[in-house]
Amino acid sequence: MRLKEALLRGQGREEFDELDSFLLGTVGGRAPGFPAAGSDALYERAEHRRVAHLLHSRAGREASGGIEVNRRFSRVMFDHNLRTWEEIAGAFADAGIRVAGVKGLFLGALLRRTADQARVTTDLDLLVDGRSLDAAMEVLASLGFVSGLDIKDHAFLRMSSRAIRELEAQQGSYGQVAPMARLLKLPEMDPVAEDIGRWLPGRKLVRTSAGVRSLSVVDLHFDMGHRDASGARHAIPAGELLDSAVTVRHGGTDVRTLDHATMTWLLCYRAYCDIALFGERRLKLFADITDLIRRGGWPSGAVEAAVARYPFIARPIEETLRFLREECAVDPGAWRDPGPRQTPGSRRDSVVQRDPAPPPATPATPATPDTPATVRGTVLVCHGWGSEPGSSPWVGRLSGRLARRGMAVVELAPFAAAGDVPGLSEVAETLRERVEVARKDTGGAPVGLIGVSLGSAAALAAVAGGAAVDFLVTVGTVASADVGVTADGGPRELLARYGGGAGDDERVPFLTGQVRLGFLRDLVACAGGTDLSAVASPVLVLSGGTDNEWRLRDAATVAAHAEARGDGSARRDFPAGNHTLDNAAVGTASAVLSWLTALGVLG
């Protein structure tokens, strides 16, 4: 089937109307007369065809009201996609998984597109070797991505397991698993929230009482070929494509993408498949292919080699080029084939070196005056009830990666021993002292605190009480005295039940053991009395979706106080994570590293 025929299928006409003709001419770099239908109608068609980015430079009477909304969305997603890629790339590297991207952000990196030139997308199309697929999905799950989460008609929906299986069985889903997504807050879109329905009708955006929300979506591809109508498979294994990956510096981030030649022939092939075989009606890939050819020439030698390896791509590529010549006036032969080349500023990255596995997390030795030159910072980790040093998978992973950056990790477990445990105020004072010592011993290098569960209450109290830290991370946040820790309730309820006139040395049940009533009284006074407004350091609040409602409430309270300062504080939720996030080790460690990098702590 010819692509023109496929695009016009079901429309009752044989030629493109003036709006489509204008857009196709714009793809080809022509300047056809402005459509009589007007700027709003043109924008709406461009957005439907997913080429609204071609209109971003329009001004005056040719500028629709929707262009500014689209441009804003493009800038916002440009930044979010870069940060999401950086987080995923770090987690995959840590797990020894090769990965590169195709289309969208990754094409933009190859072509040096700015935020205003970028095509709007909420998806990241990632290539992984089929042998690494399960591991890749596990890493994404650890980062908070789940299968079956979607947005339709500006409303969230959750697909059933059956619906997910049916989606993956569709012809157009060959070579990929169902998209994995996580919630994305977009406060930058709040000022235009009322315009979303009109100007961005098909986008994954939802207006909520708390602001505009979207999804960060990952499409994992283990094969970029296709399955024809007869069920026959025509494979282009992603593992083979990864051999042509390059790393390009884009927006301050290293982005792994396919080289120019591979990206060009692959998109020509996929454009035909998407439209002629799978029924898509969009023009976005034609604009991308044209941009590739203009900037890098037609890679005839690489195309011939690809056709020799994958013969079934010949006709799709031929039909795509025919369409570009006949409908867009784009002649690939007009641009010189530069031969073997590298994208300027890129470097070959055909093999992603596996990072050494992090060493087992053991109690680290605090920095001493003898080693200030070798320590670039110190992180003190305060564990919660019943946790020993080295017991947390994500702390172990984080320790290994921070050690390679020159940062020492010191694990403290004040609540580990059964029987007598120090009071929360005593632990908070100990943390303040350890922070002061670490700062002196390392010559003023960054010092931070990580508090887990009950340890987070101690860390918050320490910082509110004057501990001079550069950053604070709380996990399974405890910031109140009524948090439900047992069937009998929280510390306040336990005191009401057992306290009465009993002395501080009276022992009562608490979690997995018994504690002195004095411990509970101190806990109520300390955790319940922490002045969050006195916590002046940037805070990262991490929480698991399966934690109880009180702990999630405390996490939200701490995050709200911190984020209001505008100092880089943030909150990150892991939908399937437990209280201490030990079942989300890769994602938790990567989230902390990404945040510290964004703060400038890791350079």
Side-chain angles (χ1 to χ4, degrees):
M1 177 180 292
R2 297 289 173 85
L3 287 173
K4 181 176 182 179
E5 177 186 347
L7 285 166
L8 293 172
R9 187 166 39 197
Q11 297 187 22
R13 50 192 172 86
E14 297 181 355
E15 297 296 333
F16 292 110
D17 63 14
E18 66 163 357
L19 295 175
D20 280 340
S21 294
F22 182 90
L23 293 175
L24 290 169
T26 303
V27 166
R30 293 177 289 159
F34 196 77
S39 59
D40 285 350
L42 176 62
Y43 168 79
E44 290 168 358
R45 179 66 62 82
E47 172 61 11
H48 176 70
R49 296 291 201 185
R50 292 295 188 264
V51 289
H53 64 290
L54 298 178
L55 306 180
H56 282 181
S57 62
R58 295 278 169 178
R61 73 176 186 88
E62 296 184 356
S64 163
I67 289 179
E68 183 53 41
V69 177
N70 193 281
R71 188 186 291 120
R72 175 189 288 261
F73 191 30
S74 178
R75 292 170 182 156
V76 169
M77 291 312 305
F78 179 87
D79 292 334
H80 279 288
N81 285 338
L82 274 174
R83 289 199 295 271
T84 301
W85 157 253
E86 187 173 34
E87 179 185 8
I88 292 173
F92 275 34
D94 192 50
I97 300 172
R98 288 202 302 165
V99 63
V102 64
K103 300 186 292 188
L105 168 72
F106 308 95
L107 178 68
L110 202 61
L111 297 175
R112 298 291 194 274
R113 284 177 175 170
T114 65
D116 283 336
Q117 296 168 332
R119 177 164 52 80
V120 176
T121 178
T122 57
D123 298 1
L124 294 178
D125 287 277
L126 303 183
L127 304 175
V128 296
D129 192 297
R131 294 166 294 185
S132 303
L133 183 61
D134 289 343
M137 293 177 67
E138 182 179 345
V139 170
L140 288 176
S142 182
L143 294 173
F145 290 87
V146 297
S147 295
L149 183 60
D150 200 2
I151 293 175
K152 187 175 182 180
D153 298 328
H154 298 295
F156 287 106
L157 64 88
R158 188 66 186 266
M159 299 170 63
S160 67
S161 297
R162 178 179 178 180
I164 292 174
R165 289 194 299 271
E166 290 175 348
L167 174 62
E168 292 179 336
Q170 292 179 4
Q171 183 185 5
S173 296
Y174 172 75
Q176 66 183 96
V177 296
M180 300 181 70
R182 71 183 184 198
L183 183 67
L184 181 62
K185 298 178 182 179
L186 295 179
E188 305 93 333
M189 295 299 293
D190 288 348
V192 295
E194 295 183 357
D195 299 321
I196 286 173
R198 178 179 182 187
W199 299 121
L200 300 169
R203 298 294 184 174
K204 295 183 186 297
L205 291 166
V206 178
R207 290 179 60 191
T208 74
S209 59
V212 176
R213 300 291 184 263
S214 184
L215 293 176
S216 182
V217 181
V218 174
D219 293 314
L220 273 182
H221 300 266
F222 57 90
D223 195 306
M224 288 299 289
H226 75 280
R227 185 173 58 233
D228 62 29
S230 70
R233 299 181 179 186
H234 306 277
I236 304 177
E240 296 178 4
L241 295 174
L242 288 172
D243 291 337
S244 66
V246 294
T247 298
V248 179
R249 192 71 177 169
H250 187 51
T253 300
D254 281 344
V255 176
R256 285 197 292 277
T257 180
L258 301 181
D259 65 19
H260 170 269
T262 305
M263 186 78 81
T264 303
W265 69 254
L266 184 63
L267 293 193
C268 284
Y269 161 71
R270 291 300 308 186
Y272 179 84
C273 291
D274 290 349
I275 295 171
L277 303 183
F278 310 144
E280 191 170 292
R281 298 289 186 272
R282 295 169 178 171
L283 305 178
K284 57 185 182 181
L285 288 185
F286 297 124
D288 291 341
I289 295 165
T290 299
D291 215 355
L292 280 166
I293 295 173
R294 279 203 188 106
R295 300 198 191 193
W298 177 249
S300 55
V303 174
E304 290 173 4
V307 170
R309 186 165 193 169
Y310 314 111
F312 55 87
I313 71 173
R315 182 167 178 266
I317 291 176
E318 178 185 340
E319 290 297 332
T320 297
L321 296 182
R322 183 199 304 274
F323 183 87
L324 289 174
R325 283 193 296 265
E326 295 179 354
E327 306 301 330
C328 305
V330 174
D331 181 9
W335 284 276
R336 183 178 61 85
D337 177 5
R341 67 190 297 272
Q342 264 187 241
T343 302
S346 71
R347 59 182 183 272
R348 277 287 170 186
D349 192 27
S350 60
V351 178
V352 179
Q353 295 294 329
R354 186 187 182 103
D355 284 350
T362 56
T365 302
T368 68
D370 296 329
T371 59
T374 60
V375 178
R376 296 175 57 190
T378 303
V379 180
L380 302 174
V381 180
C382 186
H383 288 287
W385 185 266
S387 294
E388 299 275 0
S391 62
S392 169
W394 68 262
V395 172
R397 187 176 291 271
L398 179 66
S399 296
R401 295 181 69 178
L402 286 176
R404 293 193 287 276
R405 305 285 190 96
M407 295 195 75
V409 176
V410 181
E411 293 189 55
L412 307 175
F415 309 111
D420 289 336
V421 292
L424 194 69
S425 58
E426 181 182 342
V427 175
E429 179 61 29
T430 298
L431 291 176
R432 285 195 292 272
E433 293 173 354
R434 296 294 289 268
V435 166
E436 184 177 352
V437 170
R439 190 169 291 285
K440 289 179 179 178
D441 287 350
T442 57
V447 178
L449 275 176
I450 296 178
V452 184
S453 188
L454 192 56
S456 69
L460 284 164
V463 177
V469 298
D470 295 283
F471 59 88
L472 169 65
V473 179
T474 68
V475 177
T477 307
V478 176
S480 64
D482 59 345
V483 172
V485 294
T486 72
D488 294 330
R492 201 182 301 278
E493 289 80 9
L494 292 173
L495 277 181
R497 174 179 293 241
Y498 299 110
D504 283 350
D505 290 332
E506 187 76 21
R507 304 188 73 81
V508 297
F510 182 76
L511 293 175
T512 58
Q514 290 190 335
V515 295
R516 298 167 51 254
L517 274 172
F519 172 84
L520 288 183
R521 289 180 175 128
D522 180 73
L523 178 56
V524 169
C526 189
T530 297
D531 181 7
L532 295 178
S533 65
V535 178
S537 304
V539 182
L540 173 64
V541 180
L542 303 177
S543 54
T546 64
D547 209 343
N548 69 45
E549 59 182 294
W550 298 282
R551 287 165 181 146
L552 293 176
R553 179 205 60 192
D554 281 359
T557 300
V558 172
H561 275 83
E563 290 178 325
R565 295 194 301 270
D567 59 359
S569 293
R571 180 181 179 184
R572 175 67 190 285
D573 299 318
F574 296 82
N578 59 19
H579 172 52
T580 56
L581 294 179
D582 288 341
N583 66 336
V586 174
T588 305
S590 293
V592 175
L593 283 166
S594 295
W595 184 67
L596 293 180
T597 300
L599 283 182
V601 173
L602 298 181

